[in-house]
Amino acid sequence: MPASVVRVPEELSARVPVEQRGPGLDRDGVRLLVSRGTEVSHHVFGELPGLLRAGDLLVVNTSPTLAAAVDGRVGHARVVVHFSTRGDDGRWAVELREPDGRGTTRARADVSGATRARADVVEGRGCGGAAGTKVRLPGGARLVLEEPLSARGERLWWARVSRAEVPALLREHGRPIRYSYTERDQPLSVYQTVFALPYGNGTGSAEMPSAARPFTARLVAELVSRGVQFAPVTLHTGVASAESHEPPYPERFAVPEASARLINAVRAGDGRVVAVGTTAVRAVESAAGADGVVRARAGWTDLVVTPERGVRVVEGLLTGLHEPEASHLLMLEAVAGRAAINRGYEAAVRGRYLWHEFGDVHLLLP
């Protein structure tokens, strides 16, 4: 069960990035809620260097955000293809959605010529398409749905693209995935974090690893000057379930040798390992053995961090504010405990913090 039962008013959705809300604002101008156990305090993100200690370690995700939404057509119907994850065989996991008339998308309610039951659409089971569905894409490219990604449902499909390379298609015709609570389309640069690195095969994240968005180069330099260290890892996050908040599907990750050694050294000393985002938690915990030692690993992870599983390495977490139904809240509960999450979210609603990828952030410390 999700950790928090607070109701988040719709007006607390961050509709534009903080730097577009007023003159003189930068990414680090978002608000920062800090939870130490059930005690909470209120800050701005630029105060982060004063909240960490020399010897602390921030684990950051270097995955870049892709322009993962591409317009297409199935027959005469307009669709939007969300490219989620590149498979080892060259296929891509995709979600087919339909335009909602407001510049964003909604789950497809009509596939294979028949309208799905409303419950199936809401729960995300079968709102994507059907095997053999052909999608016409810009530039003469063609996409064919082959098989569902998971037995859990038909939201995401393995698909093969012909007559185009997907990275080139996304660069030329794609745009960042945008959800209905945002005000307008934004350039891809708005969705890149300061830690993002390009990958030669064109892989990346379908959605921004948004907990790192408030970091600026200036703030990173100040943290380093105060003795805070950084350990880069990679987790290419797929398309989230906007309707049903289902657990994440398998995602590609990598924890390099140098980062594994640094994490283990900090844990052996007096520093704290603080993950920047739930993606960083998933990567590090996937590389940790039952003994709590992190070893260099790369591949796919299907790990879902829950209170029952617990965390072996991560002691703190910097994260965005998640909806009460989101499966990510179970991970937060695993790190900090249910009481801390409940108290923090109650304080966030009272304090009118902003939610979602352009919103405020929450630092959970031991």
Side-chain angles (χ1 to χ4, degrees):
M1 185 174 70
S4 176
V5 294
V6 299
R7 188 185 69 84
V8 182
E10 185 177 344
E11 65 268 20
L12 295 187
S13 294
R15 304 194 181 281
V16 297
V18 62
E19 62 271 23
Q20 296 177 14
R21 295 180 206 149
L25 291 174
D26 203 347
R27 290 187 177 206
D28 59 7
V30 296
R31 298 172 69 192
L32 174 64
L33 180 73
V34 178
S35 292
R36 294 181 179 87
T38 57
E39 298 299 317
V40 298
S41 57
H42 304 275
H43 308 266
V44 294
F45 192 78
E47 298 173 26
L48 181 65
L51 297 166
L52 299 176
R53 306 190 300 239
D56 284 345
L57 177 69
L58 293 175
V59 182
V60 297
N61 186 0
T62 61
S63 179
T65 307
L66 301 175
V70 178
D71 293 322
R73 285 189 176 271
V74 176
H76 297 294
R78 293 175 57 208
V79 297
V80 179
V81 182
H82 287 177
F83 284 84
S84 179
T85 306
R86 183 183 184 276
D88 292 333
D89 59 1
R91 297 187 297 175
W92 280 74
V94 303
E95 180 180 11
L96 263 58
R97 296 176 67 85
E98 60 185 26
D100 63 2
R102 301 189 299 273
T104 53
T105 64
R106 59 187 169 223
R108 293 184 75 210
D110 188 357
V111 296
S112 301
T115 302
R116 298 279 187 177
R118 178 65 184 168
D120 282 348
V121 173
V122 171
E123 293 178 19
R125 300 192 305 263
C127 51
T133 297
K134 297 179 175 62
V135 184
R136 301 193 307 278
L137 299 173
R142 297 289 187 271
L143 179 146
V144 179
L145 301 187
E146 294 190 347
E147 60 182 329
L149 183 67
S150 167
R152 295 207 303 255
E154 298 175 354
R155 182 177 69 87
L156 289 174
W157 287 75
W158 285 118
R160 202 171 293 278
V161 176
S162 60
R163 304 184 196 175
E165 292 292 328
V166 171
L169 178 74
L170 300 185
R171 285 194 299 270
E172 187 170 353
H173 300 289
R175 61 185 179 276
I177 290 173
R178 177 188 155 207
Y179 290 112
S180 59
Y181 47 77
T182 57
E183 187 173 288
R184 56 182 177 268
D185 285 346
Q186 299 283 350
L188 184 60
S189 59
V190 167
Y191 290 86
Q192 301 294 8
T193 75
V194 72
F195 305 111
L197 297 173
Y199 286 78
N201 60 1
T203 54
S205 287
E207 298 181 359
M208 172 177 54
S210 56
R213 190 182 188 279
F215 284 90
T216 62
R218 180 201 60 78
L219 189 64
V220 170
E222 183 178 351
L223 286 162
V224 171
S225 73
R226 290 176 175 238
V228 175
Q229 303 178 84
F230 289 83
V233 299
T234 302
L235 187 134
H236 298 310
T237 183
V239 175
S241 169
E243 284 77 33
S244 63
H245 303 293
E246 64 203 15
Y249 287 88
E251 293 168 320
R252 193 189 300 272
F253 82 104
V255 176
E257 178 67 34
S259 293
R261 289 180 179 176
L262 185 53
I263 292 167
N264 292 331
V266 168
R267 293 191 71 235
D270 296 327
R272 299 171 293 184
V273 177
V274 179
V276 177
T278 58
T279 60
V281 176
R282 197 179 195 205
V284 169
E285 293 292 326
S286 296
D291 55 1
V293 175
V294 178
R295 298 171 176 86
R297 283 193 62 194
W300 293 85
T301 178
D302 59 1
L303 176 66
V304 178
V305 178
T306 64
E308 292 72 30
R309 189 267 187 191
V311 286
R312 298 169 178 172
V313 177
V314 172
E315 300 165 81
L317 174 60
L318 178 70
T319 181
L321 293 165
H322 303 280
E323 292 178 318
E325 301 87 359
S327 61
H328 288 314
L329 284 177
L330 293 174
M331 180 185 291
L332 272 61
E333 184 181 333
V335 173
R338 173 169 294 197
I341 303 306
N342 284 340
R343 183 68 61 87
Y345 270 61
E346 290 166 1
V349 171
R350 285 197 308 272
R352 310 293 290 175
Y353 280 70
L354 296 180
W355 256 251
H356 303 302
E357 67 266 31
F358 296 142
D360 299 316
V361 284
H362 188 189
L363 177 61
L364 303 164
L365 291 175

